[in-house]
Amino acid sequence: QVQLVESGGGLVQTGGFLRLSCAASERTFSSIMSWFRQAPGKEREFVAGISWSGGRTYVADSVKGRFTISRDVAKNTMYLQMNSLKPEDTAVYYCARRGGSSIASGMADYAYWGQGTQVTVSS
């Protein structure tokens, strides 16, 4: 059973930055790792994904140009660098993993999830 552990959330002011980390309990060859977020009263939404073997990325339009996804293969860790944060970025951020080579954006496509980390952006 793969375990995913997020860290790095917190409280930040508008315009600030945070870097989230997601550590996997085992090597993630031939898989896709992604970030989702869920704001209060809203559905969970896709933020960004990365192919573990080739580093191909896909970022949602809502955060494109502000958020960057990356990974450290040696550390089995994925990152989400979040810059120019806005109050609407406030949410619980989850990392997720799926097999295969397609960066899917639907929750049902992912078999493994972390417990989430809270990001709060104050205005």
Side-chain angles (χ1 to χ4, degrees):
Q1 180 91 6
V2 175
Q3 292 186 335
L4 304 174
V5 180
E6 303 96 335
S7 61
L11 173 64
V12 65
Q13 293 184 333
T14 296
F17 62 91
L18 285 172
R19 188 176 82 154
L20 305 184
S21 299
C22 172
S25 61
E26 61 183 54
R27 293 188 184 278
T28 54
F29 295 134
S30 300
S31 65
I32 300 295
M33 296 280 286
S34 292
W35 289 99
F36 286 75
R37 66 184 182 184
Q38 187 166 18
K42 295 188 177 181
E43 294 185 353
R44 195 171 299 187
E45 65 173 355
F46 174 86
V47 175
I50 188 165
S51 64
W52 205 254
S53 58
R56 178 171 41 91
T57 64
Y58 177 71
V59 180
D61 288 342
S62 59
V63 302
K64 193 170 293 182
R66 299 188 298 122
F67 291 11
T68 302
I69 187 171
S70 62
R71 90 277 193 237
D72 186 326
V73 174
K75 295 182 178 179
N76 291 337
T77 301
M78 173 178 67
Y79 303 99
L80 185 68
Q81 179 67 42
M82 306 186 296
N83 298 329
S84 301
L85 283 162
K86 305 174 182 180
E88 51 263 45
D89 295 318
T90 294
V92 177
Y93 284 72
Y94 299 89
C95 66
R97 176 187 165 183
R98 70 184 298 266
S101 60
S102 299
I103 302 177
S105 59
M107 285 182 56
D109 296 308
Y110 291 82
Y112 301 100
W113 292 84
Q115 81 290 348
T117 185
Q118 176 71 47
V119 170
T120 303
V121 184
S122 63
S123 57

